[in-house]
Amino acid sequence: MPYTRRTPRRPLRHVITLPELDSANGKVTDELWRLGFWAGQVPEIGVYLVSFSAYGLKCYGWYEGSIHIPRVSGAQLFDLVSGHHTRLTDILRHEWAHGVADAFPGLIDSRRFREAFGGPYEESERIHDYDPVLHVTRYASTMPCEDFSEVFHHYLRHKGRIPAHLTKKPVIVRKWDFIRRMAERTAKNRHHW
């Protein structure tokens, strides 16, 4: 899942409120707009604060065309116990990646995607064990769709500019380039509000 960092334990930090969700989502949707992804069906995707996750304790999720963020999830409870904190903006960046993929299936269901991410988006089996030369996070190694979403989340966080430490990793550069080309293509379908 997205970047976590060690922090002092503050229980209320792990309960998401509607104002926090609205603020974080505003930041992320602005990033989507600036980088060319606020196009096609993407603006119609809903983001909802829910009492609990549709996936039990699994966490956050892209669920039936919308993003569901639970007030409290298993991931948040784990963060609390372990003394970690995951930024809500990073969670949203990751979940919006699934939404963008769903909104532009023609770009995702492609030879270029399979070459960049090692398999089709829908593949449910691990393609490679985690390797920092191949993956931006451990979670990225679980499935091609999660690999895409983790790279996408980093792409948004870094405003489309690949961090210097990743430029020496050709597989990650190829994934980054896929997302950059996707941004160029989706920007052509942008709604002008």
Side-chain angles (χ1 to χ4, degrees):
M1 201 55 186
Y3 173 79
T4 60
R5 56 191 163 103
R6 277 193 91 42
T7 60
R9 288 193 179 120
R10 288 186 277 175
L12 290 180
R13 171 186 281 166
H14 302 281
V15 177
I16 296 171
T17 65
L18 188 56
E20 290 169 331
L21 179 58
D22 287 344
S23 176
N25 194 50
K27 290 175 187 173
V28 175
T29 55
D30 183 58
E31 293 167 354
L32 291 164
W33 171 262
R34 283 186 283 115
L35 293 169
F37 294 105
W38 199 253
Q41 302 301 311
V42 172
E44 297 171 24
I45 294 170
V47 176
Y48 301 100
L49 184 63
V50 297
S51 297
F52 60 91
S53 174
Y55 303 105
L57 289 179
K58 183 178 174 197
C59 345
Y60 324 99
W62 172 248
Y63 182 72
E64 294 184 6
S66 60
I67 296 168
H68 292 197
I69 304 293
R71 289 183 189 279
V72 177
S73 72
Q76 292 156 330
L77 294 175
F78 179 79
D79 280 355
L80 174 62
V81 170
S82 67
H84 288 87
H85 177 66
T86 304
R87 295 179 187 138
L88 184 53
T89 50
D90 286 339
I91 293 164
L92 286 165
R93 288 174 182 123
H94 176 96
E95 297 306 333
W96 272 105
H98 291 300
V100 169
D102 196 52
F104 294 98
L107 298 176
I108 297 299
D109 186 21
S110 67
R111 177 186 52 80
R112 186 167 277 166
F113 180 92
R114 291 186 298 279
E115 288 173 356
F117 294 95
Y121 184 84
E122 302 82 18
E123 177 63 52
S124 61
E125 299 294 321
R126 183 181 298 267
I127 303 293
H128 296 284
D129 288 335
Y130 172 70
D131 182 337
V133 173
L134 304 176
H135 305 104
V136 294
T137 65
R138 285 193 176 282
Y139 192 59
S141 71
T142 59
M143 291 179 272
C145 69
E146 301 304 347
D147 194 2
F148 167 78
S149 294
E150 287 293 273
V151 176
F152 187 96
H153 134 240
H154 278 74
Y155 187 92
L156 291 184
R157 187 190 321 151
H158 294 284
K159 299 172 179 49
R161 294 183 298 273
I162 191 166
H165 73 280
L166 296 178
T167 61
K168 296 171 180 67
K169 300 177 180 184
V171 173
I172 294 174
V173 169
R174 186 170 57 243
K175 294 171 185 180
W176 198 277
D177 285 343
F178 174 88
I179 292 172
R180 181 187 49 74
R181 284 199 275 321
M182 186 179 188
E184 292 168 358
R185 302 263 318 266
T186 58
K188 292 177 183 177
N189 295 312
R190 186 185 301 250
H191 292 286
H192 297 283
W193 304 103

